Amino acid sequence: MTNLEQTLDTRFTVQFSPSTFLMRIGRREIFVCNDFRNRHYQVNPVIECSTGVQAGHLEILLFRKWLVILSKAR
């Protein structure tokens, strides 16, 4: 079962935005928001993958705008 909920999740230090949401699928979470960070390196224009700020997170940057964070649910 999938839960959709608006959230102000402080784990990722994201400011409130109406386009921010958290989706939980079983024991996994998918967090989607606008990318707010200034990156000091050349970013792939379509998709960029990297390790997250916290252990166990995977960050996917889509089209240099949308940040998707994959993690375990707490």
Side-chain angles (χ1 to χ4, degrees), residues 46-58:
V46 178
I47 189 168
E48 179 83 23
C49 294
S50 65
T51 58
V53 235
Q54 296 181 355
H57 290 112
L58 175 67

Side-chain angles (χ1 to χ4, degrees), residues 7-51:
T7 182
L8 289 173
D9 198 356
T10 57
R11 289 183 292 165
F12 305 115
T13 63
V14 175
Q15 299 173 355
F16 177 72
S17 171
S19 60
T20 300
F21 67 91
L22 174 73
M23 188 169 35
R24 179 179 264 173
I25 301 172
R27 295 185 312 181
R28 304 287 183 213
E29 288 181 350
I30 302 172
F31 183 75
V32 180
C33 65
N34 282 329
D35 185 33
F36 59 92
R37 284 185 258 170
N38 186 8
R39 303 191 186 264
H40 301 287
Y41 55 90
Q42 188 68 17
V43 177
N44 190 326
V46 178
I47 189 168
E48 179 83 23
C49 294
S50 65
T51 58

